[in-house]
Amino acid sequence: EPEVTQTPSHQVTQMGQEVILRCVPISNHLYFYWYRQILGQKVEFLVSFYNNEISEKSEIFDDRFSVERPDGSNFTLKIRSTKLEDSAMYFCASRALGAGNQPQHFGDGTRLSIL
Amino acid sequence: AQSVTQPDIHITVSEGASLELRCNYSYGATPYLFWYVQSPGQGLQLLLKYFSGDTLVQGIKGFEAEFKRSQSSFNLRKPSVHWSDAAEYFCAVDALNTGNQFYFGTGTSLTVIP
């Protein structure tokens, strides 16, 4: 069964540095998402992406965050000027066309640790 | 905005016992509802989903859930729990907007004792 893959599994970065989290969504999916989960808390929506543009974003997704689909397969989340509170598990998800009737498929996540 | 509430933070059941995890949602129309399971250090795996039609939906691993509009609930059930079911369970609702993102509940942690 196709899977969403995320790299790296664990990223350690110094506060203030930039970090890029990478995701390869399922190949025929058209909707892409990033979520985060702070340790012990619920999964929170960051951003959705469709047709090469952001369709929705949450308050968490401030101007330090950006997403990109640089080629036909990767979907990246960039965080500039990282803060300690960015430490969390970040999940990528993708969804097929007909989004309202399709579940999201999640990757195993990237654990981001800001020191 | 849509929201999801999971009233039980932590539940402990004996192996072989039945299980019910509660989920309540707030949404004006018929929601699209999902249950996911997360094992430690892992991603989110879809257990089941509800869009319309039969209010009792079957999922993987022997789980089922029942949509009750009158109670705004979508509770997850399993007749006989296995030790491998110990995990975190999340209920989610589709935002049904341009992004179709999910709103997740706070999760219920399930412990299974032998």
Coordinates of all heavy atoms in Angstrom, one line a residue, chain B residues 10-94:
Chain B
H10 N -7.5 9.2 29.6 CA -6.8 7.9 29.8 C -7.9 6.9 30.2 O -8.7 7.2 31.1 CB -5.7 8.0 30.8 CG -4.8 6.8 30.9 ND1 -4.1 6.5 32.0 CD2 -4.6 5.9 30.0 CE1 -3.4 5.4 31.8 NE2 -3.7 5.0 30.6
I11 N -7.8 5.7 29.5 CA -8.7 4.6 29.9 C -7.8 3.4 30.0 O -6.9 3.1 29.2 CB -9.7 4.4 28.8 CG1 -10.8 5.5 28.9 CG2 -10.4 3.0 28.9 CD1 -11.9 5.3 27.9
T12 N -8.2 2.6 31.1 CA -7.5 1.3 31.3 C -8.5 0.2 31.2 O -9.6 0.3 31.9 CB -6.8 1.3 32.6 OG1 -5.8 2.3 32.7 CG2 -6.1 -0.1 32.9
V13 N -8.3 -0.8 30.4 CA -9.2 -2.0 30.3 C -8.4 -3.2 30.4 O -7.2 -3.3 30.1 CB -10.0 -2.0 29.0 CG1 -10.9 -0.7 29.0 CG2 -9.1 -2.1 27.8
S14 N -9.0 -4.3 30.8 CA -8.4 -5.6 30.9 C -8.5 -6.3 29.5 O -9.4 -6.0 28.7 CB -9.1 -6.5 31.9 OG -9.0 -6.0 33.2
E15 N -7.5 -7.0 29.2 CA -7.4 -7.7 27.9 C -8.7 -8.6 27.8 O -9.0 -9.3 28.8 CB -6.2 -8.6 27.7 CG -6.0 -9.1 26.3 CD -4.6 -9.7 26.1 OE1 -3.9 -9.9 27.1 OE2 -4.2 -9.9 24.9
G16 N -9.4 -8.6 26.7 CA -10.6 -9.4 26.5 C -11.8 -8.6 26.8 O -13.0 -9.0 26.4
A17 N -11.7 -7.5 27.5 CA -12.9 -6.7 27.9 C -13.3 -5.8 26.7 O -12.5 -5.6 25.8 CB -12.6 -5.8 29.1
S18 N -14.5 -5.3 26.8 CA -15.0 -4.4 25.7 C -14.5 -3.0 26.0 O -14.1 -2.7 27.1 CB -16.5 -4.4 25.7 OG -17.0 -3.9 26.9
L19 N -14.5 -2.2 24.9 CA -14.0 -0.9 25.0 C -14.9 0.1 24.3 O -15.5 -0.2 23.2 CB -12.6 -0.9 24.2 CG -12.0 0.5 24.0 CD1 -11.5 1.1 25.3 CD2 -10.8 0.4 23.0
E20 N -15.0 1.3 24.9 CA -15.7 2.3 24.2 C -15.0 3.6 24.5 O -14.8 4.0 25.6 CB -17.2 2.5 24.6 CG -17.9 3.6 23.9 CD -19.4 3.6 24.1 OE1 -19.9 3.1 25.1 OE2 -20.2 4.0 23.2
L21 N -14.6 4.3 23.4 CA -13.9 5.6 23.5 C -14.9 6.7 23.0 O -15.4 6.5 21.9 CB -12.6 5.6 22.7 CG -11.6 4.5 23.0 CD1 -10.3 4.7 22.2 CD2 -11.2 4.6 24.5
R22 N -15.0 7.7 23.7 CA -16.0 8.7 23.4 C -15.4 9.9 22.6 O -14.3 10.3 22.7 CB -16.6 9.3 24.7 CG -17.4 8.3 25.5 CD -18.1 8.9 26.7 NE -17.1 9.3 27.7 CZ -17.4 10.1 28.7 NH1 -18.6 10.7 28.8 NH2 -16.5 10.5 29.6
C23 N -16.3 10.3 21.7 CA -15.9 11.5 20.8 C -17.2 12.3 20.6 O -18.2 11.7 20.2 CB -15.4 11.0 19.5 SG -15.1 12.3 18.3
N24 N -17.1 13.6 20.9 CA -18.2 14.5 20.6 C -17.7 15.6 19.6 O -16.6 16.0 19.8 CB -18.8 15.1 21.9 CG -19.4 14.1 22.8 OD1 -18.8 13.5 23.7 ND2 -20.7 13.7 22.5
Y25 N -18.6 16.0 18.7 CA -18.2 17.0 17.8 C -19.2 18.1 17.8 O -20.3 18.0 18.3 CB -18.1 16.4 16.4 CG -19.5 16.0 15.8 CD1 -20.3 16.8 15.1 CD2 -20.0 14.7 16.1 CE1 -21.6 16.5 14.7 CE2 -21.2 14.3 15.7 CZ -22.0 15.2 15.0 OH -23.3 14.8 14.6
S26 N -18.7 19.3 17.3 CA -19.7 20.4 17.1 C -19.6 20.8 15.6 O -18.5 21.2 15.1 CB -19.3 21.6 18.0 OG -18.1 22.1 17.6
Y27 N -20.7 20.7 15.0 CA -20.8 21.1 13.6 C -22.2 21.1 13.2 O -23.0 20.3 13.6 CB -20.0 20.1 12.7 CG -19.9 20.4 11.2 CD1 -19.3 21.6 10.9 CD2 -20.5 19.7 10.2 CE1 -19.2 22.0 9.5 CE2 -20.4 20.0 8.9 CZ -19.7 21.2 8.6 OH -19.7 21.5 7.3
G28 N -22.6 22.1 12.4 CA -24.0 22.3 12.0 C -24.6 21.3 11.1 O -25.7 20.8 11.3
A29 N -23.8 20.8 10.1 CA -24.3 19.9 9.2 C -23.8 18.5 9.5 O -23.2 18.3 10.5 CB -23.9 20.4 7.8
T30 N -24.0 17.6 8.6 CA -23.4 16.3 8.8 C -21.9 16.3 8.6 O -21.4 16.7 7.6 CB -24.0 15.3 7.7 OG1 -25.4 15.2 7.9 CG2 -23.4 13.9 7.9
P31 N -21.2 15.9 9.6 CA -19.8 16.0 9.6 C -19.1 14.8 8.9 O -19.8 13.8 8.7 CB -19.4 16.1 11.0 CG -20.4 15.2 11.7 CD -21.7 15.4 10.9
Y32 N -17.9 15.0 8.5 CA -17.1 13.8 8.1 C -16.2 13.5 9.3 O -15.4 14.4 9.7 CB -16.3 14.2 6.9 CG -17.1 14.4 5.6 CD1 -16.5 15.0 4.5 CD2 -18.4 14.0 5.5 CE1 -17.2 15.2 3.3 CE2 -19.1 14.2 4.3 CZ -18.5 14.8 3.2 OH -19.2 15.0 2.1
L33 N -16.3 12.3 9.8 CA -15.6 12.0 11.0 C -14.7 10.8 10.8 O -14.9 9.9 10.0 CB -16.7 11.6 12.1 CG -17.6 12.7 12.5 CD1 -18.9 12.2 13.1 CD2 -16.9 13.6 13.5
F34 N -13.6 10.8 11.6 CA -12.6 9.8 11.5 C -12.1 9.4 12.9 O -12.1 10.2 13.8 CB -11.4 10.4 10.7 CG -11.8 10.9 9.3 CD1 -12.3 12.2 9.2 CD2 -11.6 10.2 8.2 CE1 -12.6 12.7 7.9 CE2 -11.9 10.7 6.9 CZ -12.5 11.9 6.8
W35 N -11.6 8.2 12.9 CA -10.8 7.8 14.1 C -9.4 7.3 13.6 O -9.3 6.5 12.6 CB -11.5 6.6 14.8 CG -12.5 7.0 15.9 CD1 -13.8 7.0 15.7 CD2 -12.2 7.4 17.2 NE1 -14.4 7.5 16.9 CE2 -13.4 7.7 17.8 CE3 -11.0 7.6 17.9 CZ2 -13.6 8.2 19.1 CZ3 -11.1 8.1 19.2 CH2 -12.4 8.3 19.8
Y36 N -8.4 7.8 14.3 CA -7.0 7.4 14.0 C -6.4 6.8 15.3 O -6.8 7.2 16.4 CB -6.2 8.6 13.6 CG -6.4 9.0 12.1 CD1 -7.5 9.8 11.8 CD2 -5.5 8.6 11.1 CE1 -7.7 10.3 10.5 CE2 -5.7 9.0 9.8 CZ -6.8 9.8 9.5 OH -7.0 10.2 8.2
V37 N -5.4 5.9 15.1 CA -4.7 5.4 16.2 C -3.2 5.7 16.0 O -2.7 5.7 14.9 CB -4.9 3.8 16.3 CG1 -4.4 3.1 15.0 CG2 -4.2 3.3 17.5
Q38 N -2.5 6.0 17.1 CA -1.1 6.3 17.1 C -0.4 5.5 18.1 O -0.6 5.6 19.3 CB -0.9 7.8 17.4 CG 0.5 8.3 17.3 CD 0.7 9.7 17.7 OE1 0.0 10.3 18.5 NE2 1.6 10.4 17.0
S39 N 0.5 4.6 17.7 CA 1.3 3.9 18.6 C 2.5 4.8 18.9 O 2.9 5.7 18.2 CB 1.8 2.6 17.9 OG 0.7 1.7 17.7
P40 N 3.2 4.5 20.1 CA 4.3 5.4 20.5 C 5.4 5.5 19.4 O 5.8 4.6 18.8 CB 4.8 4.6 21.7 CG 3.7 3.8 22.2 CD 2.9 3.4 21.0
G41 N 5.7 6.8 19.1 CA 6.7 7.1 18.2 C 6.3 6.9 16.7 O 7.2 7.0 15.8
Q42 N 5.1 6.6 16.5 CA 4.6 6.3 15.1 C 3.7 7.4 14.6 O 3.3 8.3 15.4 CB 3.9 5.0 15.1 CG 4.7 3.8 15.6 CD 5.9 3.5 14.6 OE1 5.7 3.5 13.4 NE2 7.0 3.4 15.2
G43 N 3.3 7.2 13.4 CA 2.4 8.2 12.8 C 0.9 7.8 13.1 O 0.7 6.9 13.9
L44 N 0.0 8.4 12.4 CA -1.4 8.2 12.6 C -2.0 7.2 11.6 O -1.8 7.4 10.4 CB -2.1 9.5 12.5 CG -1.7 10.6 13.5 CD1 -2.1 12.0 13.1 CD2 -2.4 10.2 14.8
Q45 N -2.6 6.2 12.1 CA -3.2 5.2 11.2 C -4.7 5.3 11.2 O -5.3 5.3 12.3 CB -2.7 3.8 11.6 CG -3.3 2.7 10.7 CD -2.9 1.3 11.2 OE1 -2.6 1.1 12.3 NE2 -2.9 0.3 10.3
L46 N -5.3 5.3 10.0 CA -6.8 5.4 10.0 C -7.4 4.1 10.4 O -7.1 3.0 9.9 CB -7.2 5.7 8.5 CG -8.7 5.8 8.3 CD1 -9.3 7.0 8.9 CD2 -9.0 5.8 6.8
L47 N -8.4 4.2 11.4 CA -9.1 3.1 11.8 C -10.4 3.0 11.0 O -10.8 1.9 10.6 CB -9.5 3.2 13.3 CG -8.3 2.9 14.3 CD1 -8.8 3.2 15.7 CD2 -7.8 1.5 14.1
L48 N -11.1 4.1 10.9 CA -12.4 4.1 10.2 C -12.9 5.5 9.9 O -12.3 6.5 10.5 CB -13.5 3.3 11.0 CG -13.6 3.6 12.5 CD1 -14.3 4.9 12.8 CD2 -14.3 2.4 13.2
K49 N -13.9 5.6 9.1 CA -14.4 6.9 8.7 C -15.9 6.9 8.5 O -16.5 5.8 8.3 CB -13.7 7.4 7.4 CG -14.0 6.4 6.3 CD -13.2 6.7 5.1 CE -13.5 5.7 3.9 NZ -12.5 5.7 2.9
Y50 N -16.5 8.1 8.7 CA -18.0 8.2 8.5 C -18.2 9.4 7.6 O -17.8 10.5 7.9 CB -18.7 8.3 9.8 CG -20.2 8.6 9.5 CD1 -21.1 7.6 9.1 CD2 -20.7 9.9 9.6 CE1 -22.4 7.9 8.9 CE2 -22.0 10.2 9.4 CZ -22.8 9.2 9.0 OH -24.2 9.5 8.7
F51 N -19.0 9.2 6.5 CA -19.4 10.3 5.7 C -20.9 10.5 5.6 O -21.4 11.6 5.8 CB -18.9 10.2 4.2 CG -17.4 10.1 4.1 CD1 -16.8 9.1 3.4 CD2 -16.6 11.0 4.8 CE1 -15.4 9.0 3.3 CE2 -15.2 11.0 4.7 CZ -14.6 10.0 4.0
S52 N -21.6 9.4 5.4 CA -23.0 9.4 5.3 C -23.5 7.9 5.3 O -22.7 7.0 5.3 CB -23.5 10.1 4.0 OG -23.0 9.4 2.9
G53 N -24.8 7.8 5.3 CA -25.4 6.4 5.2 C -25.5 5.7 6.5 O -25.8 6.3 7.6
D54 N -25.2 4.4 6.5 CA -25.2 3.6 7.7 C -24.5 4.3 8.8 O -23.3 4.6 8.7 CB -24.7 2.2 7.4 CG -25.0 1.2 8.5 OD1 -25.4 1.6 9.6 OD2 -24.8 0.0 8.2
T55 N -25.1 4.4 10.0 CA -24.5 5.1 11.1 C -23.5 4.3 11.9 O -22.8 4.8 12.7 CB -25.5 5.7 12.0 OG1 -26.4 4.6 12.5 CG2 -26.4 6.7 11.3
L56 N -23.5 3.0 11.6 CA -22.5 2.1 12.2 C -21.5 1.7 11.2 O -21.8 1.1 10.2 CB -23.2 0.8 12.8 CG -22.4 -0.2 13.5 CD1 -21.8 0.5 14.8 CD2 -23.1 -1.4 13.9
V57 N -20.3 2.1 11.4 CA -19.2 1.9 10.4 C -18.2 0.9 11.0 O -17.9 1.0 12.2 CB -18.5 3.2 10.0 CG1 -19.5 4.0 9.2 CG2 -18.0 3.9 11.2
Q58 N -17.7 0.0 10.2 CA -16.7 -0.9 10.6 C -15.3 -0.5 10.1 O -15.2 0.2 9.0 CB -17.0 -2.3 9.9 CG -18.4 -2.8 10.3 CD -18.6 -3.1 11.7 OE1 -17.6 -3.6 12.4 NE2 -19.7 -2.8 12.3
G59 N -14.3 -0.8 10.9 CA -13.0 -0.4 10.6 C -12.0 -1.5 10.6 O -12.4 -2.7 10.7
I60 N -10.8 -1.2 10.7 CA -9.7 -2.2 10.8 C -9.6 -2.7 12.2 O -10.0 -2.0 13.1 CB -8.4 -1.7 10.2 CG1 -7.9 -0.6 11.0 CG2 -8.6 -1.4 8.7 CD1 -6.4 -0.2 10.6
K61 N -8.9 -3.8 12.4 CA -8.5 -4.3 13.7 C -9.7 -4.6 14.6 O -9.6 -4.6 15.8 CB -7.6 -3.4 14.4 CG -6.3 -3.1 13.6 CD -5.3 -2.2 14.4 CE -4.1 -1.9 13.7 NZ -3.1 -1.2 14.5
G62 N -10.9 -4.8 14.0 CA -12.1 -5.2 14.8 C -12.8 -4.0 15.4 O -13.7 -4.2 16.2
F63 N -12.4 -2.8 15.1 CA -13.0 -1.6 15.6 C -14.3 -1.2 14.8 O -14.4 -1.5 13.6 CB -12.1 -0.4 15.6 CG -11.0 -0.5 16.7 CD1 -9.8 -1.1 16.4 CD2 -11.3 0.0 17.9 CE1 -8.8 -1.1 17.4 CE2 -10.3 0.0 18.9 CZ -9.1 -0.6 18.7
E64 N -15.2 -0.6 15.5 CA -16.4 0.0 14.9 C -16.7 1.3 15.6 O -16.3 1.5 16.7 CB -17.6 -1.0 14.9 CG -18.1 -1.2 16.3 CD -19.3 -2.2 16.4 OE1 -19.5 -3.0 15.4 OE2 -20.1 -2.1 17.3
A65 N -17.5 2.1 14.9 CA -18.0 3.3 15.5 C -19.4 3.6 15.1 O -19.8 3.3 14.0 CB -17.0 4.5 15.1
E66 N -20.1 4.3 15.9 CA -21.5 4.6 15.7 C -21.7 6.1 15.7 O -21.4 6.8 16.7 CB -22.4 4.0 16.7 CG -23.9 4.2 16.3 CD -24.8 3.3 17.2 OE1 -24.4 2.8 18.2 OE2 -26.0 3.3 16.8
F67 N -22.2 6.7 14.6 CA -22.6 8.1 14.5 C -24.0 8.3 15.1 O -24.9 7.7 14.6 CB -22.5 8.5 13.0 CG -23.0 9.9 12.8 CD1 -22.4 11.0 13.3 CD2 -24.1 10.1 12.0 CE1 -22.8 12.3 13.1 CE2 -24.6 11.4 11.8 CZ -24.0 12.5 12.3
K68 N -24.1 9.2 16.0 CA -25.4 9.5 16.6 C -25.6 11.0 16.5 O -25.0 11.8 17.3 CB -25.5 9.1 18.1 CG -25.5 7.5 18.2 CD -25.7 7.2 19.7 CE -25.8 5.6 19.8 NZ -26.0 5.2 21.3
R69 N -26.4 11.4 15.5 CA -26.6 12.9 15.3 C -27.2 13.5 16.5 O -26.8 14.6 16.9 CB -27.4 13.1 14.1 CG -27.6 14.6 13.7 CD -28.7 14.7 12.6 NE -28.3 14.0 11.4 CZ -27.5 14.4 10.5 NH1 -26.9 15.6 10.7 NH2 -27.2 13.7 9.5
S70 N -28.2 12.9 17.2 CA -28.9 13.5 18.3 C -28.0 13.8 19.5 O -28.2 14.7 20.3 CB -30.0 12.5 18.7 OG -29.5 11.3 19.2
Q71 N -26.9 13.0 19.6 CA -25.9 13.2 20.7 C -24.6 13.8 20.2 O -23.7 14.0 21.0 CB -25.6 11.8 21.3 CG -26.8 11.2 21.9 CD -26.5 9.8 22.5 OE1 -25.4 9.5 22.8 NE2 -27.6 9.0 22.7
S72 N -24.5 14.2 18.9 CA -23.3 14.7 18.3 C -22.1 13.9 18.8 O -21.1 14.4 19.2 CB -23.1 16.2 18.8 OG -24.1 17.0 18.3
S73 N -22.3 12.6 18.6 CA -21.2 11.7 19.1 C -20.8 10.7 17.9 O -21.5 10.4 17.0 CB -21.7 10.9 20.3 OG -22.7 10.0 19.9
F74 N -19.6 10.2 18.1 CA -19.0 9.2 17.2 C -18.1 8.4 18.0 O -16.9 8.5 17.9 CB -18.3 10.0 16.0 CG -17.8 9.0 14.9 CD1 -18.7 8.2 14.2 CD2 -16.5 9.0 14.5 CE1 -18.3 7.4 13.2 CE2 -16.0 8.2 13.5 CZ -16.9 7.4 12.8
N75 N -18.7 7.5 18.8 CA -17.9 6.7 19.7 C -17.3 5.5 19.1 O -17.9 4.8 18.3 CB -18.8 6.3 20.9 CG -19.2 7.5 21.8 OD1 -18.7 8.6 21.6 ND2 -20.2 7.3 22.6
L76 N -16.1 5.2 19.5 CA -15.3 4.0 19.0 C -15.5 2.9 19.9 O -15.4 3.0 21.1 CB -13.9 4.4 18.8 CG -12.9 3.3 18.2 CD1 -13.2 3.2 16.7 CD2 -11.5 3.7 18.5
R77 N -15.7 1.7 19.3 CA -16.0 0.5 20.2 C -15.2 -0.7 19.6 O -14.8 -0.8 18.4 CB -17.4 0.1 20.2 CG -18.3 1.2 20.7 CD -19.7 0.7 21.1 NE -20.4 0.2 19.9 CZ -21.5 0.8 19.4 NH1 -22.0 1.9 20.0 NH2 -22.1 0.3 18.4
K78 N -14.9 -1.6 20.6 CA -14.3 -2.9 20.2 C -14.8 -3.9 21.2 O -14.7 -3.7 22.4 CB -12.8 -2.8 20.2 CG -12.2 -4.1 19.7 CD -10.7 -4.0 19.4 CE -10.1 -5.3 18.8 NZ -8.7 -5.2 18.4
P79 N -15.3 -5.0 20.8 CA -15.9 -6.0 21.7 C -14.9 -6.7 22.6 O -15.3 -6.9 23.8 CB -16.6 -7.1 20.8 CG -16.6 -6.5 19.4 CD -15.5 -5.4 19.4
S80 N -13.7 -6.9 22.2 CA -12.7 -7.6 23.0 C -11.4 -7.0 22.7 O -10.8 -7.2 21.6 CB -12.8 -9.1 22.6 OG -11.8 -9.8 23.4
V81 N -10.8 -6.4 23.7 CA -9.5 -5.7 23.5 C -8.3 -6.6 23.5 O -8.3 -7.5 24.4 CB -9.4 -4.6 24.5 CG1 -8.0 -3.9 24.5 CG2 -10.5 -3.5 24.2
H82 N -7.4 -6.4 22.7 CA -6.1 -7.2 22.7 C -5.0 -6.3 23.2 O -5.1 -5.0 23.1 CB -5.8 -7.6 21.3 CG -4.7 -8.6 21.1 ND1 -3.4 -8.2 20.8 CD2 -4.6 -9.9 21.3 CE1 -2.6 -9.2 20.8 NE2 -3.3 -10.3 21.1
W83 N -4.0 -6.9 23.8 CA -2.9 -6.1 24.4 C -2.2 -5.2 23.3 O -1.8 -4.1 23.7 CB -1.8 -7.0 25.0 CG -1.1 -7.9 24.0 CD1 -1.4 -9.1 23.6 CD2 0.0 -7.5 23.1 NE1 -0.5 -9.6 22.6 CE2 0.4 -8.6 22.3 CE3 0.8 -6.3 23.0 CZ2 1.4 -8.6 21.4 CZ3 1.9 -6.3 22.1 CH2 2.2 -7.5 21.3
S84 N -2.3 -5.6 22.1 CA -1.7 -4.7 21.0 C -2.5 -3.5 20.7 O -2.1 -2.6 19.9 CB -1.5 -5.6 19.8 OG -2.7 -6.1 19.3
D85 N -3.7 -3.4 21.3 CA -4.5 -2.2 21.1 C -4.1 -1.0 21.9 O -4.6 0.1 21.7 CB -6.0 -2.5 21.3 CG -6.6 -3.5 20.4 OD1 -6.2 -3.4 19.2 OD2 -7.4 -4.3 20.8
A86 N -3.2 -1.2 22.8 CA -2.7 -0.1 23.7 C -2.0 0.9 22.8 O -1.1 0.6 22.1 CB -1.7 -0.7 24.7
A87 N -2.5 2.1 22.8 CA -2.1 3.2 21.9 C -2.8 4.5 22.3 O -3.7 4.5 23.2 CB -2.3 2.8 20.5
E88 N -2.6 5.5 21.5 CA -3.3 6.8 21.6 C -4.4 6.8 20.5 O -4.0 6.5 19.3 CB -2.4 8.0 21.5 CG -3.0 9.3 21.8 CD -2.9 9.7 23.3 OE1 -2.2 9.0 24.1 OE2 -3.6 10.6 23.7
Y89 N -5.6 7.2 20.8 CA -6.6 7.2 19.8 C -7.2 8.6 19.7 O -7.4 9.3 20.6 CB -7.8 6.3 20.3 CG -7.4 4.8 20.2 CD1 -6.6 4.2 21.2 CD2 -7.7 4.0 19.1 CE1 -6.3 2.9 21.2 CE2 -7.4 2.7 19.0 CZ -6.6 2.2 20.1 OH -6.2 0.8 20.0
F90 N -7.2 9.0 18.4 CA -7.7 10.4 18.1 C -8.9 10.4 17.2 O -9.0 9.7 16.2 CB -6.6 11.2 17.4 CG -5.4 11.5 18.2 CD1 -4.3 10.6 18.2 CD2 -5.3 12.6 19.0 CE1 -3.1 10.9 19.0 CE2 -4.2 12.9 19.8 CZ -3.1 12.0 19.8
C91 N -9.9 11.2 17.6 CA -11.1 11.4 16.8 C -10.8 12.7 16.0 O -10.2 13.6 16.5 CB -12.3 11.6 17.7 SG -13.8 11.8 16.9
A92 N -11.3 12.8 14.8 CA -11.0 14.0 13.9 C -12.3 14.3 13.1 O -13.0 13.4 12.7 CB -9.8 13.8 13.0
V93 N -12.4 15.6 12.8 CA -13.5 16.0 12.0 C -12.9 16.8 10.8 O -12.0 17.6 11.0 CB -14.6 16.8 12.8 CG1 -14.0 18.1 13.3 CG2 -15.8 17.2 11.9
D94 N -13.5 16.7 9.6 CA -13.1 17.4 8.5 C -13.6 18.9 8.6 O -14.8 19.1 8.9 CB -13.6 16.8 7.2 CG -13.0 17.3 6.0 OD1 -13.0 18.5 5.8 OD2 -12.5 16.5 5.2

